[in-house]
Amino acid sequence: MNVLKNKIKAEGVVLSETVLKVDSFLNHQVDPELMMEIGKEFAHRFKEEGITKILTIESSGIAPGVMAALYLNVPLVFARKKKSLTLTEGVLTSKVYSFTKQEENTISISREYIQKNDRVLLIDDFLANGQAALGLIDLVKQAEAVVAGIGIVIEKSFQNGGKIVRDTGYRVESLAEIESLENGEVQFKEEEATVS
Amino acid sequence: MNVLKNKIKAEGVVLSETVLKVDSFLNHQVDPELMMEIGKEFAHRFKEEGITKILTIESSGIAPGVMAALYLNVPLVFARKKKSLTLTEGVLTSKVYSFTKQEENTISISREYIQKNDRVLLIDDFLANGQAALGLIDLVKQAEAVVAGIGIVIEKSFQNGGKIVRDTGYRVESLAEIESLENGEVQFKEEEATVS
């Protein structure tokens, strides 16, 4: 997705060989026009999948998620992320380890918002180690719903999450795939799944 | 805003005389069409205010905030909410006490995203005790920017936050004003600032 790649090139800050900061348009400040384009692109890529719900994680998944939900005309659910969680009735939980923050979070959703047989599109801002995506997949499975696809804004292809998540057999669509952050520079993968 | 009030009537769950649960369309599951209408309404009410940024707090402010940002054609910034925060350079922080959760959170923004003289519209999902709004006002003041208005999705008018925040002199626009949750029923205030 060229508009996204151009934004990453222009405003992304390479903090190390593994860390890309996109605080100016996605993770802290949010560019609403770009989010709309991202939502439209996810809707386009998954339009044949019979999506009935979108599931994301607070907080950075919400803006792209709500736009995708708007274009697919389905509700968005955002999983809550907490360091610890008192077990509550009617709540599905999964543990997600963050390599970046070196801590384990419990993500949770109310059982009532993902129903059996829902066809769920998972949306997240980054795919790096794949732990968040696996946690979301786990929540959908616990709800006896179907993972209909996984939409990622930025995939760090040099980390192993993409392989881990694709190995589960689900379709993963990443709008920008980063091959390397070496020498302080963002290098994208050449091939594009869709012209955009 | 009638579409919002109807949604609250249909799906809001009165948990007590002070607590209204709107998890099905705002705080956990999100109705993207309704968020679009809310964004449009905020943009309409504040269109003469020369807004240059919208500021909200994660997580429930993000969906209405990004839609308002889209219609006002300005960036959204969401403040981070953490129980404790290591002081970092270039970060503005304010303390917000939550009566609901009985805990103090530190909310924070990067100094670079709210600039001196920015005209900032504050957006939040609820106005109850006013503490979150006061925290956002404090962040804008620290940034030497201007609070150009405050947009609230649901105001619990029977709590004192509305008075506290209006007493600061800022214009507050609430899309649904709830007068009472007594007897398990949502009672709205009669008057409407704008026909919608």
Side-chain angles (χ1 to χ4, degrees), chain B residues 92-109:
Chain B
L92 304 174
T93 65
S94 189
K95 288 191 160 57
V96 172
Y97 184 75
S98 165
F99 287 93
T100 321
K101 296 181 186 161
Q102 301 202 350
E103 65 182 28
E104 190 174 74
N105 287 290
T106 300
I107 63 171
S108 67
I109 56 169

Side-chain angles (χ1 to χ4, degrees), chain A residues 97-146:
Chain A
Y97 183 76
S98 165
F99 287 91
T100 321
K101 296 181 187 158
Q102 301 202 352
E103 65 182 30
E104 190 174 76
N105 287 289
T106 299
I107 63 170
S108 67
I109 56 170
S110 290
R111 185 182 283 275
E112 59 188 309
Y113 298 122
I114 304 285
Q115 300 282 335
K116 195 173 167 176
N117 300 327
D118 257 331
R119 293 186 57 82
V120 184
L121 173 60
L122 308 179
I123 298 269
D124 209 3
D125 56 338
F126 271 96
L127 174 57
N129 296 292
Q131 300 306 301
L134 293 178
L136 290 174
I137 291 169
D138 181 38
L139 291 178
V140 173
K141 282 185 175 168
Q142 287 181 49
E144 297 176 74
V146 177

Side-chain angles (χ1 to χ4, degrees), chain A residues 50-89:
Chain A
I51 309 295
T52 61
K53 289 265 161 126
I54 292 179
L55 176 62
T56 190
I57 307 186
E58 63 181 356
S59 286
S60 294
I62 296 174
V66 74
M67 292 298 183
L70 185 70
Y71 283 99
L72 283 167
N73 199 23
V74 298
L76 168 75
V77 176
F78 59 89
R80 297 277 182 185
K81 192 163 51 184
K82 294 210 169 149
K83 261 192 207 156
S84 67
L85 192 95
T86 323
L87 209 61
T88 318
E89 218 183 322

